[in-house]
C-alpha cells in the first residue's frame, strides 16, 4: 500500500466521515451510522474499503490501525508494496475459477491485484504485442465470465499495466 493508495482510500467524503467516527470511538457499524447519519450500506462499504486499504482493523471492534498508518508515513512516496500474500490469494480465489475471470472486482484495490496477476501471466516484459495478439491473449481469461477481453484490455491500459501506442501494446507494470 502506498501513500497514494491511502490518500485514495480517504478521498471519499463518506469514508472520511466513517474514519472520523471510528477515530472518535465508534466500534461497530451501528455506532458509525448513528454518529454520521449515513445509510448503513454506505457505512459498511466504507468500512470494507478502509479495512482493505489497511487503515482500519476489525479485530475486537472497529479501530484505526495506528501501526499501519505509521508504516504509511514512514514509507512516504516509496514504491508500492504488494498486498499481503493471503489477501492476494483471497482476491484471486474469489474472482478466478479454473484460470478464467468470473467478473472484475468493483473495488479498485482488488481489481488491481487481479489485473497484476493477469499481466504477469500473460505478457512478457519488454515484448511488444499488436492489438490482435493482446485480444487473443486476454480472451481465455474471459471465457464463461461476466467480463470481456475489450474491457479487460482497457483496465490494463488505464491502470498502466500495459501501454498502448499506435495499436501496439507492451507491459509496463509489475
Amino acid at each position: 500500500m502506498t501513500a497514494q493508495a491511502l490518500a485514495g482510500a480517504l478521498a471519499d467524503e463518506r469514508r472520511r466521515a466513517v474514519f472520523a467516527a471510528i477515530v472518535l470511538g465508534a466500534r461497530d457499524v451501528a455506532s458509525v451510522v448513528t454518529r454520521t447519519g449515513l445509510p448503513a450500506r454506505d457505512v459498511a462499504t466504507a468500512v470494507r474499503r478502509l479495512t482493505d486499504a489497511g487503515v482500519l482493523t476489525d479485530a475486537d471492534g472497529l479501530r484505526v490501525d495506528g501501526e499501519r498508518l505509521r508504516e504509511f508515513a514512514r514509507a512516504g512516496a516509496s514504491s508500492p508494496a504488494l498486498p499481503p500474500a493471503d489477501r492476494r490469494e483471497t482476491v484471486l480465489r474469489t474472482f478466478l475459477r479454473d484460470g478464467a475471470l468470473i467478473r472484475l472486482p468493483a473495488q479498485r484495490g482488488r481489481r488491481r491485484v487481479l489485473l497484476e496477476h493477469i499481466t504477469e501471466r500473460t505478457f512478457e516484459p519488454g515484448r511488444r504485442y499488436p492489438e490482435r495478439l493482446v485480444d487473443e491473449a486476454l480472451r481465455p481469461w474471459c471465457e464463461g465470465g461476466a467480463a470481456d477481453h475489450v474491457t479487460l484490455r482497457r483496465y490494463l491500459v488505464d491502470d498502466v499495466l500495459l501501454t498502448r501506442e499506435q495499436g501496439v501494446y507492451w507491459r509496463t507494470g509489475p
Side-chain angles (χ1 to χ4, degrees):
M1 176 66 61
T2 63
Q4 181 181 12
L6 172 61
L10 293 170
D12 179 78
E13 184 176 329
R14 290 173 301 232
R15 288 192 297 265
R16 283 193 309 274
V18 168
F19 180 78
I22 294 167
V23 166
L24 294 172
R27 295 293 172 246
D28 57 33
V29 170
S31 300
V32 174
V33 168
T34 301
R35 288 181 185 227
T36 63
L38 293 169
R41 181 178 179 172
D42 289 354
V43 170
T45 300
V47 165
R48 188 176 63 245
R49 177 69 165 50
L50 292 168
T51 302
D52 286 350
V55 176
L56 299 180
T57 179
D58 58 4
D60 299 323
L62 296 171
R63 298 194 189 288
V64 173
D65 190 338
E67 180 57 34
R68 185 76 173 179
L69 288 177
R70 282 187 286 283
E71 288 174 20
F72 291 149
R74 283 191 297 267
S78 66
S79 63
L82 288 176
D86 57 338
R87 178 173 175 260
R88 180 178 170 92
E89 290 307 313
T90 300
V91 169
L92 296 177
R93 274 194 318 271
T94 302
F95 295 100
L96 292 175
R97 291 288 182 270
D98 299 321
L101 184 59
I102 297 169
R103 69 182 193 285
L104 285 166
Q107 290 183 336
R108 189 174 191 278
R110 292 177 182 173
R111 188 172 54 238
R112 178 68 183 207
V113 167
L114 189 63
L115 294 173
E116 287 176 0
H117 175 82
I118 291 170
T119 302
E120 292 165 359
R121 280 154 184 76
T122 308
F123 302 103
E124 296 174 31
R127 182 172 171 202
R128 298 197 177 248
Y129 299 85
E131 188 168 301
R132 178 184 52 79
L133 288 180
V134 172
D135 289 346
E136 286 176 15
L138 295 177
R139 275 191 186 99
W141 288 102
C142 300
E143 287 178 8
D148 64 277
H149 69 281
V150 175
T151 301
L152 183 55
R153 184 183 69 215
R154 186 185 76 237
Y155 275 121
L156 291 170
V157 171
D158 289 350
D159 272 29
V160 196
L161 294 167
L162 288 182
T163 298
R164 172 184 56 213
E165 187 177 295
Q166 298 179 350
V168 177
Y169 296 74
W170 60 93
R171 180 175 158 182
T172 50

